[in-house]
Amino acid sequence: MGDIASQLTAEERAVLLHVARSRFTPQGTAARARLVADCADLGVAEAARRASVSRVTAAKWWQRYRTSGIDSLDDAPRTGRPAVPRGIVHQILNHALIQPPANASRWTTRTVAESAGVSQATVSRIRRRNFRRDPGVSFLPDGSSIVTYLDVHPSGCALGFQASRGAAPAPGSTTTPSARLDVIETLVCAPLLCRSFTGHDQATLSGTGEGTDAVAVLRRAAERLPAASPVTLVVDVELDDAARQWLLRHPKIDAHSVTGEDWLALVHHIADAVDPGQFAELFEVQRLIRLAHSEGAGEFTWSRNPDVSVPAADPAPQPQTEPSAEDLMSVVRSLCTAIGHGELQAGKPISARNIARRSGVSPGRVTTVLAQLTAEALIDKPAGRYRLPVPAPVDVVETYTARALLGTAIVRKLASMPGPLPPAVDKHYAGLVRCDRLGLASEACMIDLDLQDELAQAAAMPRMSSMFVHLSVQLRIFVAIFGLDFRYPTDEIVADDHRILHELRRRDPVAAVAAWRIKIDNCARFMVNHLSSME
């Protein structure tokens, strides 16, 4: 180390530090200048560790600097094939946050190419360039790992990992390598919720620009992760002196900075390292990220219950207070997702622990929600075990009919009330518009039900609103069990909801009821066709 340091003059060191710290220096050049300065001060091995690059990479830039000076740290002019515009690259990467086309379990190079209007060769080239294999990544826990935390925030993003307890994959949770890679791509691309692609060797998906705050990223993680358990945290911001001081006071957190194009290179390493038993859980995280994207969210946080991987019997029901509406809907959505993935079937027992793993709700609160659903006859409990009901098509028709009648009374009341509609109504409607623009039929269906429930709760008719929302929950479960495609096209959902909201704001009860009935007729038309094909 001393031999290397002696090769730098005081003037060279000052120039390197100036280039590394200047806000006018391209991010790639600044990172390399910092790396070279660290090589001189700390040695190649330690500089490589700090920069989260391989020793080979660190030694290459040190030798290049010694041979050709400070100018050799700049990006080299590109030759050969013209670079793909950043907007196209962003669009390709962004598909990881979008639900794949109907009847497809994941995106392929062909479907991405068709969606983006580019060639398959371009898609493949972009994927190879961004999701490259990086042999220098070596900081994840030894052996298999568990993803415990994901935080997407304008001030910086983070992924958390802990050593796996070696839990075997749950029955039915075996996944193909392609499916594993697909879900990890969504996790790694999640920062696109709040950032755009900014180019290679600069700040690709990184938070190294203005507004980033490494200490804020670390503090958010400390608030959400179990204090007693060691965690490896990968952040996409530089760990400055304040962050290093903070880490000294929190020895359970082992943080590593991975910025620029190296962030996307995490994909293969994470996919290889994650415990196979966790992928069923990560599919639910993928769904939540894609839902956040469809709703235009600029932030996303998920943290794992630390005990979900411990094999144990379902917890016995405990007398608790009534679950919150948020817990109720999280559990119901997780039940529907588990049904859609084939992990739950009608008449089969429901594992509160598995639903807790999917939803992020504690097992005790999941049990409370299941108890409430049982009391409302939405699920069954023969012989002391919660089970999905075994409905007939007529049950769906009756549920939908009752809900349609209640909706008529609700929109009539809303159209007669003074004051504006709740802000959440406009938020859900904006989500529908985005789903229509992106072709997300499944998400549009769920957001449409959310919008209707919001209208019901705003009608100041507590008993009727409660029955309406109760039937919405029942409809979601029945639809999942039957695999029922009662959704009409997303553009018609948007048009029908726009008509209803327009008449409600005009305070015209008759026109509002007529608009509601048009919507119900459209819903029923697609639903009945599907049910008829099942008989």
Side-chain angles (χ1 to χ4, degrees), residues 52-54 57 131-139 258 261-269:
S52 297
V53 299
S54 67
T57 298
F131 301 133
R132 70 184 192 279
R133 286 190 174 273
D134 185 353
V137 179
S138 59
F139 44 74
V258 178
E261 61 182 286
D262 292 333
W263 178 266
L264 293 175
L266 292 170
V267 164
H268 288 284
H269 192 71

Side-chain angles (χ1 to χ4, degrees), residues 148-210:
T148 58
Y149 178 66
L150 173 62
D151 182 36
V152 174
H153 192 274
S155 67
C157 304
L159 272 166
F161 303 88
Q162 289 177 298
S164 169
R165 298 179 181 180
S173 65
T174 302
T175 56
T176 64
S178 296
R180 295 183 186 186
L181 203 59
D182 181 70
V183 70
I184 299 302
E185 285 177 10
T186 298
L187 267 64
V188 173
C189 287
L192 283 170
L193 290 171
C194 61
R195 307 201 185 117
S196 296
F197 179 87
T198 53
H200 295 296
D201 299 321
Q202 295 185 30
T204 307
L205 293 181
S206 78
T208 54
E210 293 184 5

Side-chain angles (χ1 to χ4, degrees), residues 11 72 104 109 121 134 169 187 195 243 358 371 408 423 438 470 484:
E11 182 180 357
S72 67
T109 55
D134 185 353
L187 267 64
R195 307 201 185 117
R358 279 189 167 277
T408 299
L438 298 172
H470 170 98
L484 179 61

Side-chain angles (χ1 to χ4, degrees), residues 55-178:
R55 293 187 185 185
V56 173
T57 298
K60 177 190 72 175
W61 285 110
W62 168 255
Q63 292 300 329
R64 186 173 295 181
Y65 170 78
R66 296 308 302 160
T67 301
S68 305
I70 192 71
D71 291 341
S72 67
L73 303 183
D74 290 333
D75 293 327
R78 297 183 180 272
T79 59
R81 188 193 302 270
V84 178
R86 292 178 184 176
I88 296 296
V89 178
H90 177 87
Q91 184 181 5
I92 300 302
L93 298 176
N94 201 57
H95 279 75
L97 309 185
I98 301 172
Q99 194 68 19
N103 303 320
S105 60
R106 62 183 181 84
W107 287 101
T108 64
T109 55
R110 181 181 61 80
T111 53
V112 171
E114 291 174 351
S115 173
V118 299
S119 69
Q120 286 185 247
T122 297
V123 175
S124 297
R125 189 166 72 253
I126 290 171
R127 288 178 54 80
R128 286 195 304 270
R129 176 69 173 89
N130 289 279
F131 301 133
R132 70 184 192 279
R133 286 190 174 273
D134 185 353
V137 179
S138 59
F139 44 74
L140 293 186
D142 292 336
S144 60
S145 302
I146 293 290
V147 182
T148 58
Y149 178 66
L150 173 62
D151 182 36
V152 174
H153 192 274
S155 67
C157 304
L159 272 166
F161 303 88
Q162 289 177 298
S164 169
R165 298 179 181 180
S173 65
T174 302
T175 56
T176 64
S178 296

Side-chain angles (χ1 to χ4, degrees), residues 295-320:
E295 294 179 347
E299 301 178 13
F300 179 86
T301 301
W302 169 83
S303 55
R304 187 174 191 263
N305 185 314
D307 297 323
V308 295
S309 62
V310 179
D314 287 345
Q318 299 293 328
Q320 298 185 27

Side-chain angles (χ1 to χ4, degrees), residues 353-390:
R353 189 168 295 279
N354 288 343
I355 298 303
R357 181 193 65 201
R358 279 189 167 277
S359 64
V361 178
S362 71
R365 286 187 289 161
V366 169
T367 301
T368 303
V369 172
L370 295 177
Q372 176 175 322
L373 295 176
T374 301
E376 295 175 351
L378 294 177
I379 62 174
D380 302 328
K381 192 184 179 184
R385 294 296 303 274
Y386 295 111
R387 296 176 184 270
L388 286 176
V390 186

